[in-house]
Amino acid sequence: MKKKGITASDLKYIAILAMFIDHIGWLAIPTASPLGQIMHAVGRITAPVMCFFLSEGYHYTSNFKKYVMRMGIFAVISHFAYCFYKTESFFGKCNESMITTLFLCLIGLHIYNHEKIPTVWKYVALLVIAMLTEYCDWGNKALLFTFAFELARGNRKHQLMAFSAVAFLTLILPLFKIAFSAPEMLSYNYYRFGIFLPVPLIGLYNGEKGGSKHTKWIFYIFYPAHLILLGIISILYI
């Protein structure tokens, strides 16, 4: 009998849809418009959900080497798709995609949990990874989200509290500075409050995988595919 709540596959599908809505918004809708703000608020669902499942997946994977290799390969593929979406060229100048961010976070998780690496070297390595993520989509916020879920793992309530605290400090607190220094920019940033939308969704997660054995490939394939599609639409119609 299926448990109450939503499965991992359900959550990932929601995250994929939210990402698609967000990327359409950046491409075609004025950021400061009510519709643009709503679309980007919805888009704040994706990164935290994927960071949550990165922590879960790290502990449940039966083969870490295959896991990290798969993510590394799609990080390379997604780089060109992300550049195409951003610059209308596969070889344009752009930051790294969210897949690269997750790839770095995964390496960070492995280093943190590796028993043979001295603690001091763990922190040095994590600092380097934090610096590298600044050249990626979502920056080191994604690394902080991942470790908020990781350090509180085993207690869902504590995980969501830790994530909410990090989200507030990194995304909401800076709004007060904007309010005083450049209040006209607030209309471009209200969408940040959407960062709390993943909290009830992750809270509904029932611990079941759901889907099929092929479900794990959907996000990897959809991510670069939808970016290329939106890039083509941008060239032809926008």
Side-chain angles (χ1 to χ4, degrees):
M1 185 177 178
K2 183 180 178 180
K3 296 180 182 178
K4 291 183 178 180
I6 53 181
T7 66
S9 294
D10 294 334
L11 260 177
K12 290 176 182 178
Y13 289 138
I14 292 171
I16 287 172
L17 178 59
M19 175 180 65
F20 193 42
I21 291 171
D22 186 40
H23 287 168
I24 291 173
W26 290 121
L27 189 67
I29 308 298
T31 302
S33 68
L35 179 58
Q37 290 295 298
I38 291 171
M39 293 176 77
H40 299 320
V42 170
R44 301 312 93 191
I45 291 172
T46 308
V49 168
M50 300 317 295
C51 290
F52 171 74
F53 282 116
L54 194 70
S55 174
E56 291 290 296
Y58 173 76
H59 291 282
Y60 283 115
T61 185
S62 58
N63 191 322
F64 174 76
K65 289 183 179 179
K66 285 186 177 180
Y67 187 16
V68 74
M69 185 178 296
R70 180 172 67 244
M71 189 164 287
I73 291 171
F74 276 94
V76 173
I77 295 171
S78 296
H79 166 75
F80 296 103
Y82 188 67
C83 283
F84 185 66
Y85 166 73
K86 285 285 189 177
T87 69
E88 299 183 354
S89 170
F90 287 109
F91 303 100
K93 186 177 180 181
C94 68
N95 287 341
E96 294 296 322
S97 75
M98 184 63 190
I99 303 294
T100 302
T101 315
L102 294 174
F103 173 71
L104 291 170
C105 291
L106 180 61
I107 293 175
L109 284 175
H110 189 59
I111 291 171
Y112 175 78
N113 286 286
H114 202 295
E115 296 179 353
K116 295 183 179 180
I117 299 177
T119 301
V120 64
W121 289 113
K122 287 184 179 183
Y123 288 120
V124 170
L126 289 174
L127 179 60
V128 172
I129 290 173
M131 294 170 64
L132 291 175
T133 56
E134 277 301 287
Y135 297 94
C136 305
D137 192 19
W138 275 90
N140 56 37
K141 297 179 186 66
L143 184 66
L144 294 173
F145 294 163
T146 301
F147 274 87
F149 292 124
E150 176 69 14
L151 296 176
R153 194 170 180 275
N155 187 312
R156 187 72 53 75
K157 182 179 178 180
H158 290 172
Q159 282 183 305
L160 295 176
M161 289 174 63
F163 162 72
S164 297
V166 170
F168 177 80
L169 291 173
T170 58
L171 285 167
I172 306 304
L173 194 59
L175 287 179
F176 290 99
K177 181 180 179 180
I178 294 174
F180 286 106
S181 61
E184 70 278 2
M185 295 301 296
L186 281 176
S187 61
Y188 291 87
N189 286 277
Y190 289 125
Y191 72 90
R192 293 190 186 194
F193 287 97
I195 195 63
F196 298 113
L197 291 176
V199 173
L201 292 173
I202 295 174
L204 289 172
Y205 173 49
N206 60 16
E208 293 187 348
K209 188 175 181 180
S212 68
K213 63 180 181 179
H214 302 297
T215 302
K216 67 181 180 182
W217 293 101
I218 293 176
F219 182 78
Y220 291 119
I221 295 172
F222 182 84
Y223 185 84
H226 93 283
L227 290 175
I228 292 173
L229 174 63
L230 290 177
I232 292 172
I233 292 173
S234 176
I235 292 172
L236 296 177
Y237 302 108
I238 298 177

